[in-house]
Amino acid sequence: MTNPATRTVINLRQLEVLRAVMRYRTTTGAAEELGMSQPAVSNAIKLAEAKVGVALFDRISNRLQPTADAQLLLADAEPLFRLHEAIQRKAWDLRTGRAGVLRIASTAELSQMLVPGVLRLLQDAHPDVRIALETVRMDELLESVESGSADIGMAMRPPPRPSLVREVLIESELMCLCPPNDPLANMPVLTPFDVQGRDTIGPASGSPLGVLLDAAFERFGERYSPGIEARFSNVAAPLVEQGLGIAFVDELTARHRPQADYSVHRFSPRVPIKVCALVLRDRPVQRMTKAFLELAREFLQARLNTGPATPGVP
């Protein structure tokens, strides 16, 4: 006799249906995404609710509102979807002959400031290498590497994860960008006191990098409160060129455009920003991933180890 504890209550396909309905709040929208008929989606919901034994959606004004039980179930199921997507990609790679592809997940700044230059070097050395690059948020990056969807993740100051090895490629620092013809343009180093009362651009107070800026400003008896919150440094830099304020950015962004129409300044007290690569802890690192890592380290050392910043010259 089958043990009730091992009996399948809900399968992956039913979870996919529930996930799509939760996203669209209608069976019609879910059906379009999944390539199913609307009645088939409705029946899948009814079957899942019957097997699980609880209501998963409340019907309110022709919309399907997920219950707390549904949200709990789908939250626990999310790692399954990530793993399933990774297996689907691997199967597609095998089918299309792309089994040797290097999959990279990167945050926005590094996708613009670091990865293109490293890929140029990689393809010069390995012309047959095939690349898949995705620009994602930090949480998605960590999940992509953990699930195996990405071979390597590239990020600044990533939070620790027990399943991941975090390799520091270089330790850079926070820097300031000043608009054209700014009164502070001739000062090589700026402090929280210098920017007091000025329009500033930077990460939100309380964000991972914002917490470090909060502490730096407190040491000078000042309060960090950016007039424009910009999550990504590569977004903040163009705002400075428009004269919208003084920005706090990472060093790679500051040095990326030597002819940019802003001046570049070190920030005191020093706020370190580690540029890191992430790989799975319990999986051997493939040869092409190692090559990418080594080239990324060389690229960063050449780009950032250039001595003190000179006003106007990143």
Side-chain angles (χ1 to χ4, degrees):
M1 180 178 292
T2 303
N3 185 344
T6 63
R7 194 175 299 155
T8 300
V9 177
I10 191 167
N11 59 37
L12 183 59
R13 184 56 172 171
Q14 290 169 324
L15 286 171
E16 286 180 324
V17 172
L18 298 180
R19 187 192 195 199
V21 174
M22 183 179 291
R23 183 156 45 235
Y24 288 95
R25 298 294 200 265
T26 66
T27 54
T28 302
E32 290 178 358
E33 177 181 300
L34 298 171
M36 299 171 61
S37 67
Q38 186 272 336
V41 171
S42 296
N43 289 336
I45 295 173
K46 292 176 183 177
L47 181 60
E49 289 181 324
K51 285 193 171 184
V52 176
V54 297
L56 298 174
F57 294 93
D58 292 323
R59 283 72 177 172
I60 302 173
S61 301
N62 296 321
R63 305 281 290 179
L64 293 172
Q65 184 69 32
T67 63
D69 289 323
Q71 292 174 343
L72 183 64
L73 183 66
L74 268 298
D76 286 345
E78 197 59 35
L80 289 176
F81 291 117
R82 293 283 181 183
L83 181 58
H84 183 243
E85 290 166 3
I87 294 172
Q88 290 281 64
R89 287 195 186 100
K90 182 63 68 176
W92 181 254
D93 289 344
L94 292 170
R95 176 176 175 174
T96 58
R98 291 172 56 87
V101 68
L102 174 62
R103 296 191 176 277
I104 304 167
S106 176
T107 54
E109 297 99 333
L110 296 187
S111 283
Q112 182 176 353
M113 313 298 179
L114 171 64
V115 175
V118 179
L119 289 183
R120 177 70 275 163
L121 296 173
L122 185 68
Q123 291 207 317
D124 286 345
H126 305 276
D128 295 329
V129 67
R130 287 167 290 186
I131 304 294
L133 171 63
E134 282 202 61
T135 302
V136 293
R137 300 193 314 265
M138 182 71 77
D139 58 336
E140 293 176 317
L141 183 148
L142 297 173
E143 290 172 1
S144 292
V145 180
E146 282 185 321
S147 70
S149 296
D151 300 304
I152 186 172
M154 304 296 294
M156 288 184 280
R157 302 188 67 255
R161 287 283 182 98
S163 61
L164 302 179
V165 174
R166 183 175 56 172
E167 182 170 346
V168 179
L169 301 177
I170 201 168
E171 183 174 284
S172 62
E173 61 184 286
L174 187 79
M175 303 190 81
C176 297
L177 305 181
C178 284
N181 304 314
D182 190 277
L184 300 177
N186 292 322
M187 298 179 61
V189 180
L190 297 181
T191 70
F193 180 79
D194 296 322
V195 300
Q196 181 184 20
R198 300 292 303 276
D199 294 328
T200 55
I201 304 165
S205 177
S207 67
L209 187 54
V211 169
L212 298 180
L213 279 164
D214 288 334
F217 272 68
E218 285 177 6
R219 288 176 59 182
F220 279 72
E222 304 292 344
R223 179 172 175 267
Y224 172 65
S225 180
I228 298 179
E229 293 182 359
R231 181 177 181 179
F232 300 114
S233 291
N234 59 329
V235 174
L239 300 179
V240 178
E241 290 187 288
Q242 295 299 318
L244 295 174
I246 297 171
F248 303 99
V249 303
D250 66 274
E251 189 175 358
L252 191 59
T253 297
R255 296 190 186 278
H256 180 65
R257 296 168 56 202
Q259 306 305 318
D261 195 13
Y262 48 64
S263 56
V264 179
H265 312 257
R266 293 201 183 279
F267 179 72
S268 180
R270 187 177 187 273
V271 176
I273 300 179
K274 295 178 179 178
V275 181
C276 300
L278 299 108
V279 295
L280 268 177
R281 183 175 298 279
D282 298 325
R283 177 181 294 181
V285 180
Q286 62 169 293
R287 180 177 63 89
M288 204 53 63
T289 302
K290 291 180 179 178
F292 180 89
L293 282 172
E294 189 58 37
L295 290 171
R297 185 178 289 106
E298 293 174 4
F299 180 91
L300 287 167
Q301 289 174 348
R303 183 64 64 94
L304 299 187
N305 290 351
T306 56
T310 301
V313 182

